[in-house]
Amino acid sequence: MFEWIDRFFLSSSLPYLLLSMTLTGTYVMVAVLLLRFLFLKAKAPAWARYALWAAPLFRLLCPYAPAVGWSPVALPSQPVVEGKMAYTPVLQTGFSLLDQTVQTATEIPASSANPSQILFALFFLLWALGVAAQLGYGIWQHFALRRRLATATLGGKRVYECQGLSTAFVRGLIRPRIYLPLGLSEEQRRLVLLHERAHLRHLDPLWRFFAWMARCIHWINPLVWIAFRLSGQ
């Protein structure tokens, strides 16, 4: 009955890899949030703030970080044994209850399943559904905005003006465009363009895309939502 759980959740490192990424990302985000307060007080330059947020972003998106003295997940190699997985992921999160629960689930023979194993599988299924919902909503937003901007008119090199916009913004990754509300005065237009072109120089659309991807993958971690909002500021 639980053969699909055994084949995927007990024979794949993906659930443990994701758990490792979100746990280590959480540790880094806590440190960044504390440092961010000091950076704002000290009025640190823009490059320093970008470097600060790059650390948790890298850890949330990169499955394998450079080796350090301690890691929250270890995957020691073991010989293949019939009815057992080829390796046993060992969590070292510092929370013994979580470590023991996951470890117990991984040591169950392939012919049976225990409640911990089932709960872990259901939790991962919930995570996957949440990721699909986040991606689906993002795609819907993309096409809805695209339809809204269909009436935009060219107002300069990669600059477009559109009726009904409440604010200016940059859109696109490969050939980004600047969209302005229609009816700005010459001085307003000049200042807004300077602001939006600063975003382009800093590669903000690309940074924001990677941050959105991290939020989609780790949507179940509330600290990721906080970091996404604060990094956008």
Side-chain angles (χ1 to χ4, degrees), residues 26-40:
T26 297
Y27 302 147
V28 177
M29 281 186 290
V30 170
V32 166
L33 290 175
L34 295 175
L35 288 173
R36 177 180 178 270
F37 178 77
L38 298 177
F39 274 40
L40 290 176

Side-chain angles (χ1 to χ4, degrees), residues 12-27 59-60 62-63 70-75 89-93 95 97-103 106 120 123-124 127 217-218 220-221:
S12 171
S13 63
L14 179 60
Y16 311 98
L17 191 59
L18 290 169
L19 186 57
S20 169
M21 291 166 66
T22 196
L23 284 173
T24 53
T26 297
Y27 302 147
R59 195 59 196 96
L60 290 171
C62 182
W70 176 86
S71 174
V73 65
L75 299 176
V90 180
L91 283 178
Q92 299 172 353
T93 64
F95 299 96
L97 181 60
L98 175 62
D99 297 344
Q100 292 171 7
T101 299
V102 175
Q103 186 64 27
T106 62
F120 189 66
F123 178 82
F124 188 79
W127 168 84
I217 296 172
H218 302 280
I220 208 162
N221 187 339

Side-chain angles (χ1 to χ4, degrees), residues 134 215 218-230:
Q134 289 283 316
R215 193 190 70 176
H218 302 280
W219 67 271
I220 208 162
N221 187 339
L223 201 58
V224 172
W225 290 82
I226 296 173
F228 181 79
R229 181 178 180 85
L230 292 179

Side-chain angles (χ1 to χ4, degrees), residues 23-209:
L23 284 173
T24 53
T26 297
Y27 302 147
V28 177
M29 281 186 290
V30 170
V32 166
L33 290 175
L34 295 175
L35 288 173
R36 177 180 178 270
F37 178 77
L38 298 177
F39 274 40
L40 290 176
K41 288 290 185 181
K43 296 183 179 180
W47 67 265
R49 296 195 296 271
Y50 278 84
L52 189 68
W53 286 112
L57 186 61
F58 174 81
R59 195 59 196 96
L60 290 171
L61 292 178
C62 182
Y64 299 100
V68 292
W70 176 86
S71 174
V73 65
L75 299 176
S77 299
Q78 294 180 358
V80 177
V81 180
E82 186 177 358
K84 292 276 189 177
M85 57 192 304
Y87 54 81
T88 302
V90 180
L91 283 178
Q92 299 172 353
T93 64
F95 299 96
S96 58
L97 181 60
L98 175 62
D99 297 344
Q100 292 171 7
T101 299
V102 175
Q103 186 64 27
T104 300
T106 62
E107 292 176 348
I108 299 301
S111 59
S112 63
N114 73 347
S116 298
Q117 180 181 342
I118 297 171
L119 287 175
F120 189 66
L122 291 177
F123 178 82
F124 188 79
L125 179 61
L126 174 65
W127 168 84
L129 291 174
V131 172
Q134 289 283 316
L135 292 174
Y137 182 67
I139 293 172
W140 176 82
Q141 282 187 315
H142 169 78
F143 285 104
L145 182 58
R146 186 176 178 179
R147 287 194 300 269
R148 186 180 178 186
L149 298 175
T151 59
T153 57
L154 185 63
K157 185 179 179 181
R158 297 200 309 190
V159 176
Y160 290 80
E161 296 176 320
C162 186
Q163 183 71 39
L165 295 182
S166 59
T167 185
F169 57 87
V170 176
R171 183 172 183 266
L173 295 176
I174 300 176
R175 291 180 58 85
R177 298 176 174 182
I178 297 175
Y179 288 88
L180 304 175
L182 198 62
L184 294 178
S185 67
E186 285 299 321
E187 182 63 12
Q188 288 176 327
R189 195 175 190 276
R190 184 183 70 84
L191 294 175
V192 170
L193 282 176
L194 286 173
H195 179 85
E196 298 305 326
R197 283 169 179 157
H199 282 305
L200 291 177
R201 287 196 304 272
H202 296 156
L203 302 178
D204 284 342
L206 188 62
W207 281 99
R208 203 60 180 161
F209 173 75

